[in-house]
Amino acid sequence: MAAYEEQEYNKPFSIRTWAKMLPFFKPYKKYFAITLGFNIFLAGIDVAVPLFQSYAIDRFITPGRLDGLRDFALIYGLVIVFQTICVYLSVRAAITIEMNLGRDLKWAQFEHLQTLSFSYYNTTPVGYIHARVMSDTLRIATVAAWGLVDMLWALLYVVSVFAIMFFLNVRLALIILLIVPCIAVLTVYFQNKILHWNRKVRKINSQITSAYNEGITGVKTSKTMGIEKENEEAFFVRTSEMQRAASRSAKLNAVYVPAILLFSSVAAAAVLAQGGAMVQDRIMKLGTLSVFISYAVIIFEPIQQLARLLADLISCQANIERVTDLLEQETDVVDRADVIQRYGDAFYPKVENWEKIKGDIVFEDVSFMYPDGKEYVLEHFNLHVPAGMNVAIVGETGAGKSTLVNLMGRFFEPTSGRILIDGVDYRERSQLWLHSQMGYVLQNPHLFSGTVRENIRYGRLSATDAEIEEAARSVSADEVVRKLEKGYESDVGESGGKLSTGEKQLISFARAILADPAIFVLDEATSSIDTQTEQMIRQATARLLKGHTSFIIAHRLSTIRQADLILVVRDGKMIEQGTHQELLEEKGYYYELYSRQFEEEAAVKVFAQGGGKDC
């Protein structure tokens, strides 16, 4: 399978891209105003501190006087206290923005992910989705909360300092100003290089997240196939690439930071030499020289910070693009506005308006092509499934058996034609209305982290413990429970990892039974259950499915002989339909499949009875 190619995000800075974040920024405008306002005060105080030093030198140190020192110390102390309060309030507001903005972005993405259709998840690795929801949202929140206000502080500080320096002494101000272009060129060069490698680090990190996720979720497959070494080598290659990219960024920083410090020292030395001579010639006061030296040492840090923050804003744009790309992903299946108004949506359902489903299903001249496909899977397909009918869908692996069920469940919609539920086009009602009336048991069932009881209760959240246990007994899931140390309160582990596939299927079967849906879908639901357990389930489902419309996607043809209708799929096309007996009499493709499977099962029985002695 070809690796997922992530989109490159390297566009120049764009206000329009950042504007997409305004709906997320808006609820916290008060906190933005607080942190911006206090940072303005902080910039003013930071600029004024060297002026206090200058006053102290010229008023007290040089003349050797102490009168007025107490008042000066009191004022200076009050300024420092005010500075501390400003820092506290500004930091508190910024933390509020960062924490809440990150949470809101995660919420928005998680909510949107639940509305996307199957096609998105079929083409997008979990690791890439995880990177957007976790890493990208964190970076956006951090840059928005701290980067913007720090840029304002740095800009105000630099402008104010140069204004004061030119006011105090033009010659010394020009000495410092002449070094600024050197710093600017150096900063632009290094920041572009660092930004390039940082972008590469984030891209590789996304790939590592995806590989890590696959490595953990597929650990059983890796161990049974003995490919741990290959996985390790592939993972080592990715992490080595990230290490090299991160090292290049670190090395560039290792050159850039000392270079800035060098220019800062040169500026301070030049100011000290020129200013010292001016003090000796009594052209300048010693206090004024101290102001210039303080500014010369400090001024390049906010200039450097401005360049770094601008680079952060540009690089953060890639994070915003990744997040907004996800949020702007359109689902293939969408309820119309008038349908949502009447029936609600997945998050705010209007259950009081939902009609009860009987289960009468009609495929009316349905043609279907997958969104990323090039040819029709179904063409002009017609089928009437009366309420209560049991329909089986059979075919070889990969033949397209799930297509019909996915269309019926509205996980995809017909390219043309209609599907009617109880005589009404199902697009006239909400997706949740239909999904809430379906019980789905998958070949590879998913259990949520939690107890057995909690997992079964997902079928109907209002169910009592007695109803949960009855549902488990009806499909023999209680036998699984009896083996567990804490019974129904036993933890199933992440994705049901503490249970076998067969045990998970029994739990998911009980969950579907508890929901008591109008329509049942069993997607090869007994494929991982032993023959004895399968027999018990078959007897239970024969009783429980009575009166319910049901679709059974089956691999073992012996399990669907009593179906009211059997649909035969081959190469994505529906080629035969009828009862078990009718299809055998036709001696077509179904007859071939059944005969071949019957011979295989008979051979297995003979082998089992012989105890494998001929091997």
Side-chain angles (χ1 to χ4, degrees), residues 38 40-53 55 70-88:
F38 281 114
I40 292 172
F41 283 122
L42 284 170
I45 293 171
D46 291 336
V47 169
V49 167
L51 297 178
F52 274 95
Q53 296 172 0
Y55 179 85
R70 186 178 62 181
D71 293 337
F72 172 82
L74 179 62
I75 294 171
Y76 187 74
L78 290 173
V79 169
I80 298 302
V81 169
F82 182 67
Q83 182 184 42
T84 303
I85 294 172
C86 286
V87 170
Y88 169 75

Side-chain angles (χ1 to χ4, degrees), residues 227-240:
I227 57 173
E228 291 95 337
K229 183 172 177 58
E230 287 76 6
N231 285 345
E232 182 184 24
E233 289 173 352
F235 195 77
F236 179 77
V237 169
R238 288 191 179 94
T239 52
S240 296

Side-chain angles (χ1 to χ4, degrees), residues 36 46-47 143 246 311 584 615:
L36 288 171
D46 291 336
V47 169
V143 171
L584 287 181
C615 289

Side-chain angles (χ1 to χ4, degrees), residues 96-236:
T96 301
I97 294 169
E98 182 181 17
M99 295 298 103
N100 287 280
L101 181 59
R103 178 202 61 191
D104 292 352
L105 287 169
K106 288 179 175 66
W107 276 357
Q109 288 184 95
F110 186 74
E111 181 177 359
H112 187 64
L113 283 166
Q114 293 183 87
T115 68
L116 295 178
S117 54
F118 281 2
S119 57
Y120 178 77
Y121 295 99
N122 287 341
T123 57
T124 310
V126 173
Y128 289 93
I129 298 174
H130 183 270
R132 281 159 173 74
V133 174
M134 301 305 294
S135 303
D136 290 327
T137 55
L138 177 62
R139 179 160 176 77
I140 293 169
T142 301
V143 171
W146 302 99
L148 295 174
V149 295
D150 286 348
M151 276 193 72
L152 175 66
W153 174 88
L155 185 63
L156 288 173
Y157 183 85
V158 170
V159 172
S160 300
V161 164
F162 273 109
I164 291 172
M165 286 194 297
F166 273 99
F167 176 77
L168 293 176
N169 191 286
V170 174
R171 186 186 302 178
L172 292 184
L174 286 173
I175 291 175
I176 297 175
L177 188 62
L178 287 174
I179 298 177
V180 170
C182 301
I183 298 289
V185 171
L186 199 66
T187 298
V188 169
Y189 174 79
F190 275 96
Q191 289 297 331
N192 284 336
K193 294 286 185 182
I194 292 169
L195 176 59
H196 166 75
W197 288 107
N198 282 344
R199 275 177 167 162
K200 191 161 187 176
V201 167
R202 284 192 290 275
K203 181 177 179 179
I204 299 171
N205 180 64
S206 192
Q207 295 172 349
I208 289 174
T209 304
S210 179
Y212 207 77
N213 179 75
E214 288 183 354
I216 293 172
T217 56
V219 65
K220 289 183 180 178
T221 303
S222 297
K223 288 186 175 297
T224 54
M225 295 179 66
I227 57 173
E228 291 95 337
K229 183 172 177 58
E230 287 76 6
N231 285 345
E232 182 184 24
E233 289 173 352
F235 195 77
F236 179 77

Side-chain angles (χ1 to χ4, degrees), residues 483-544:
K483 296 176 185 176
L484 301 174
E485 184 179 349
K486 295 182 180 179
Y488 286 95
E489 306 309 319
S490 299
D491 184 63
V492 301
E494 185 179 4
S495 300
K498 294 182 180 180
L499 303 177
S500 69
T501 303
E503 289 170 336
K504 287 193 288 184
Q505 282 180 326
L506 287 169
I507 299 299
S508 65
F509 210 105
R511 183 168 59 195
I513 294 297
L514 182 66
D516 190 28
I519 302 170
F520 267 106
V521 177
L522 310 183
D523 189 349
E524 305 214 28
T526 60
S527 62
S528 297
I529 298 175
D530 60 79
T531 307
Q532 183 179 358
T533 306
E534 181 185 342
Q535 183 63 30
M536 289 189 293
I537 288 181
R538 197 183 307 175
Q539 293 171 357
T541 53
R543 174 173 55 86
L544 293 165

